[in-house]
Amino acid sequence: MPATTTRTRARSRSRTVAAGFLLPALLLLGALVVYPIGYSVRRSLFDRSGASFVGLDNYLALVTDDSLRTAVRNNLIWLVVAPAVATALGLVFAVLTERVRWGTAFKLVVFMPMAISMLAAGIIFRLVYEQDPDRGVANAVWVGVHDTFAESSGFPRARPLPVHPLEAAGGGAFVTKEPVRRGAPVLLPLVGVAPAQMPRDARPAHAPTPASTGITGTAWLDFTRGGGGKPNVVDPKELGLKGLRIEAVRDGKVVATATAAADGGFTLPADRADGAVLRLPASNFREQYDGVEWLGPSLVTPAVIGAYVWMWAGFAMVLIGAGLAAVPRELLEAARVDGANEWQVFRRITVPLLAPVLVVVLVTLMINVLKVFDLVFVIAPGSAQDDANVLALQLYRSSFGTDADLGVGSAIAVVLLLLVLPVMVVNVRRIRRESRR
């Protein structure tokens, strides 16, 4: 038998064996991937019920419906911002951890969020972004920094009663109804301060005593817990408004100022304050700073992206760190010997040599963010979910929501596939180029 015929039969037999091994995988691939894709493409061309052919109307809805346009816009933001930030942080962490003594421990801490599911991470960051500074870590830090540089209000929502000797002066301030006089003690009662908001070192208020050298007065909370107090009278159980700022105003100008003590007492110089009107400036009563509305309409998408970066920066760091370990050290040392500083070594040698790894990380994260659903669904509250909407979330809402439209849901699924395909093609071509080297 000729050798050519033998080789042909052997080749044919090997192909048959290979096909036999591949057949189960091909059947699974067809059943789980090819058929669903084909069915989704077909279903996207029909209406909500699936009975009437509507052509490309479901695809046109992606650019005409407000919620769908928001989802497309947010997906573009995710696609541009999230992979780039996570990759950049991973690169910085990978480079810096090579220079610190506890680099391995640091890598472990940064990579640890990868062990947490998206659902758990969403719950964690929903608590982190709580508006109440007493519960949300982000606002607790933000309010602490703010209050370090800007003094917060001492008595938000405090106000006088109609029977009090005070009246509104506009802009949130209050003034005495009558000018103050030498030797006549001044009473400045207020209500509307919750006991929990009173200064911890506030003491029981004392009625002011006349003084010939100054104008004395008392600013206090005119409220007796349990009842029994009288308006405009300093009762034994009522506390002084420590820290309340008082201004003496004459002809529109502040001529003297004072601050209430722990028992509410204050003194103004008689030579300047006699005949003036006392004003409690609005700075005493403005609302306390509660931080940033992280999950409001304007910041909800950046907030969710921050949670994503927290999870995936460790993934980028590990892959980039593996690539960095393969970089020839002699090139870096040669550049330093030639006079290059660390920034030049990083920018002109380290980054170009890591370019293949950076592309792998970036492409992987780009594919990943196109499918992001869990974080947006869990972190964004119902009131802001439309503003944080992405295509994967809209796919869920259109397909399984209360007003489900499988035609639109299938169209979104096809669009997501079309968005992923170019990224996958680029990745496959890069892998083939690398294998030929």
Side-chain angles (χ1 to χ4, degrees), residues 109-306:
V109 171
V110 175
F111 186 75
M112 195 176 295
M114 283 295 299
I116 303 174
S117 68
M118 285 279 197
L119 177 62
I123 294 172
I124 291 171
F125 273 86
R126 182 66 181 269
L127 296 174
V128 168
Y129 291 135
E130 275 280 353
Q131 180 69 34
D132 185 356
D134 293 331
R135 298 178 60 190
V137 176
N139 266 339
V141 174
W142 196 266
V143 169
V145 173
H146 174 275
D147 289 349
T148 300
F149 298 98
E151 186 178 355
S152 62
S153 168
F155 307 100
R157 301 183 183 179
R159 65 192 185 281
L161 292 174
V163 296
H164 286 161
L166 291 164
E167 62 184 1
F174 299 101
V175 297
T176 53
K177 296 176 181 177
E178 301 291 338
V180 296
R181 297 297 177 185
R182 186 194 301 263
V186 183
L187 299 177
L188 301 179
L190 292 173
V191 296
V193 183
Q197 293 179 328
M198 288 292 291
R200 294 182 179 179
D201 52 351
R203 299 205 311 255
H206 293 284
T209 55
S212 59
T213 58
I215 294 177
T216 58
T218 299
W220 83 102
L221 180 63
D222 195 12
F223 172 79
T224 302
R225 300 182 70 174
K230 297 180 180 180
N232 294 327
V233 175
V234 181
D235 296 303
K237 295 182 180 180
E238 295 174 347
L239 300 177
L241 295 174
K242 181 186 177 182
L244 189 76
R245 180 178 173 84
I246 301 104
E247 298 175 343
V249 181
R250 181 185 288 113
D251 298 329
K253 296 182 180 180
V254 178
V255 295
T257 61
T259 301
D263 61 358
F266 64 89
T267 303
L268 292 165
D271 56 341
R272 284 181 286 171
D274 188 24
V277 171
L278 298 191
R279 179 174 66 187
L280 306 181
S283 59
N284 290 311
F285 313 112
R286 66 171 180 265
E287 292 289 339
Q288 288 182 334
Y289 183 66
D290 289 330
V292 177
E293 192 179 3
W294 299 104
L295 300 182
S298 58
L299 289 179
V300 63
T301 294
V304 180
I305 290 176

Side-chain angles (χ1 to χ4, degrees), residues 33 57 68 74 77 94 110 148 182 184 223 236 257 274 335 354 395 426:
V33 178
D57 287 355
L68 293 175
N74 286 340
I77 295 173
V110 175
T148 300
R182 186 194 301 263
F223 172 79
T257 61
D274 188 24
L354 288 175
L395 169 61
V426 171

